[in-house]
């Protein structure tokens, strides 16, 4: 198999796993969102540490010791990914899978907006059009929900900021996930200790299957990310940009068809506007990727969901 085809296999596998992740989150009930988040952090550290031990990729730790600003950046990234993970878990277990899917649909538009506001990048007219359509979609959905779609916006903004930081830090996937999870492990352990002290922990107090599912949350977090890293090393950025919509499409399908969440006409209209914005944005990105690079044109954002 060629490296290009292998890249597509890795990328599609990663996004399909992310797309079906709501199934896994719902299996972790009756654990609360914060308890699930804490276990996801701790067991991610354990799993990625094992991967790094096998591959002997520990040299990056010396780099961190010599660069406190890099460590500060990773700490900020860890805080943002914790907000993203926690919000996603809360959204899924409060039966708002459709809204979590919306967050990852609008995430590419948020990343572009951050490029304009934070990096002072300039957009083409078509890209401004896509952002305008996306903004109109949020207004329509806010009217439908009776309030702004806070879960979707929090997911998009937190992961947009995380993507921006990760781009600047430049750490490989496994090493970055290990350090971020390690920084979050101490408060996670503290929370689980407090929960156990107050007899509120579900770990070890339910079925053996439930306990194993909490343990395997680390592997369920790390494996798609490592597959994504393998795809990113083999595929053009525009190909990854198109593949990234696989996950929210699957999540939306789960929310509507499997979990039977409501999709009234106004909400469907809002989603249709989001899809129109993404079509405009993606077609423009693919078309311009075939031309010589322009210094004013921002790159296509690629999401690593949940």
């Amino acid at each position: 198999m060629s490296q290009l085809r292998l890249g597509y296999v890795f990328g599609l596998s990663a996004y399909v796993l992310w797309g079906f992740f709501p199934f896994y989150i719902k299996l972790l009930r009756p654990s609360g969102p914060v308890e699930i988040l804490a276990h996801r952090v701790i067991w991610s550290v354990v799993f990625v540490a094992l991967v790094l031990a096998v591959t002997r990729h520990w040299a990056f730790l010396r780099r961190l010791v010599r660069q406190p600003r890099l460590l500060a950046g990773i700490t900020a990234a860890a805080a943002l990914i914790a907000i993203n993970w926690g919000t996603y878990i809360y959204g899924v277990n409060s039966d708002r899978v459709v809204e979590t899917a919306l967050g990852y649909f609008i995430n590419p538009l948020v990343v572009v907006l951050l490029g304009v506001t934070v990096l002072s990048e300039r957009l083409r007219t078509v890209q401004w059009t896509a952002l305008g359509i996306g903004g109109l979609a949020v207004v329509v959905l806010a009217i439908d929900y009776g309030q702004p779609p806070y879960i979707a916006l929090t997911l998009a903004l937190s992961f947009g900021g995380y993507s921006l930081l990760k781009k600047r830090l430049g750490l490989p996937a496994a090493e970055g996930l290990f350090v971020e999870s390690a920084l979050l492990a101490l408060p996670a352990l503290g929370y689980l200790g407090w929960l156990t002290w107050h007899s509120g922990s579900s770990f070890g107090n339910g079925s053996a299957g439930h306990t194993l599912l909490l343990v395997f949350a680390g592997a369920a977090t790390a494996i798609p990310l490592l597959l994504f890293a393998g795809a990113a090393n083999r595929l053009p950025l525009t190909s990854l940009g198109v593949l990234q919509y696989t996950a929210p499409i699957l999540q939306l399908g789960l929310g509507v068809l499997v979990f039977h969440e409501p999709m009234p006409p106004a909400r469907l209209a809002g989603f249709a506007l989001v899809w129109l914005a993404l079509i405009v944005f993606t077609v423009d990105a693919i078309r311009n990727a075939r031309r010589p690079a322009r210094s004013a044109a921002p790159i296509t954002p690629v999401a690593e969901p949940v």
Side-chain angles (χ1 to χ4, degrees):
M1 183 180 295
S2 69
Q3 290 299 306
L4 184 64
R5 289 185 178 180
L6 189 61
Y8 279 111
V9 170
F10 284 159
L12 191 60
S13 298
Y15 283 115
V16 167
L17 287 174
W18 277 322
F20 284 106
F21 205 62
F23 272 130
Y24 195 95
I25 297 297
K26 286 184 177 290
L27 288 174
L28 298 179
R29 291 172 173 173
S31 299
V34 181
E35 183 181 8
I36 295 173
L37 174 61
H39 279 288
R40 188 175 181 183
V41 166
I42 291 166
W43 297 112
S44 291
V45 175
V46 174
F47 181 83
V48 181
L50 292 173
V51 172
L52 294 176
V54 171
T55 57
R56 299 181 180 180
H57 287 171
W58 294 107
F60 70 97
L61 290 176
R62 292 194 295 271
R63 177 185 171 194
L64 287 179
V65 173
R66 294 193 299 265
Q67 299 184 48
R69 290 185 63 184
L70 178 61
L71 183 58
I74 296 175
T75 303
L80 286 171
I81 201 61
I83 293 170
N84 185 270
W85 286 357
T87 303
Y88 182 81
I89 294 166
Y90 170 77
V92 170
N93 277 347
S94 60
D95 299 321
R96 297 167 77 174
V97 175
V98 168
E99 192 174 344
T100 65
L102 173 64
Y104 290 110
F105 274 126
I106 65 177
N107 177 72
L109 302 176
V110 169
V111 174
V112 172
L113 187 61
L114 286 173
V116 174
T117 57
V118 178
L119 302 180
S120 301
E121 293 177 341
R122 291 178 296 165
L123 300 185
R124 296 181 289 271
T125 302
V126 175
Q127 292 171 315
W128 278 116
T129 302
L131 285 178
I133 298 171
L136 178 61
V138 172
V139 172
V140 171
L141 289 165
I143 294 172
D144 173 66
Y145 281 109
Q147 61 182 14
Y150 291 115
I151 289 177
L153 292 174
T154 301
L155 288 173
L157 289 170
S158 61
F159 199 80
Y162 176 76
S163 301
L164 181 64
L165 281 173
K166 292 286 280 187
K167 178 183 176 183
R168 290 187 165 185
L169 295 173
L171 278 178
E175 287 85 339
L177 179 61
F178 174 78
V179 178
E180 291 158 10
S181 300
L183 289 170
L184 296 170
L186 186 59
L189 284 169
Y191 175 78
L192 290 178
W194 176 86
L195 201 63
T196 301
W197 179 263
H198 289 82
S199 302
S201 175
S202 64
F203 185 79
N205 295 320
S207 67
H210 179 263
T211 299
L212 287 174
L213 284 171
L214 287 172
V215 171
F216 287 131
T221 297
I223 289 173
L225 185 60
L226 297 176
L227 287 169
F228 173 83
N233 291 334
R234 293 170 173 84
L235 292 180
L237 196 61
T238 49
S239 298
L240 279 175
V242 174
L243 279 178
Q244 71 177 312
Y245 301 126
T246 304
I249 287 172
L250 289 173
Q251 291 170 10
L252 177 63
L254 289 179
V256 175
L257 301 176
V258 178
F259 304 133
H260 305 293
E261 295 182 14
M263 180 61 80
R267 192 168 306 170
L268 184 59
F271 269 88
L273 286 171
V274 171
W275 296 328
L276 176 60
L278 291 175
I279 290 170
V280 171
F281 178 78
T282 303
V283 169
D284 177 73
I286 293 173
R287 184 181 62 190
N288 282 275
R290 295 171 179 170
R291 299 176 182 176
R294 301 176 182 178
S295 60
I299 63 171
T300 305
V302 179
E304 303 168 26
V306 300

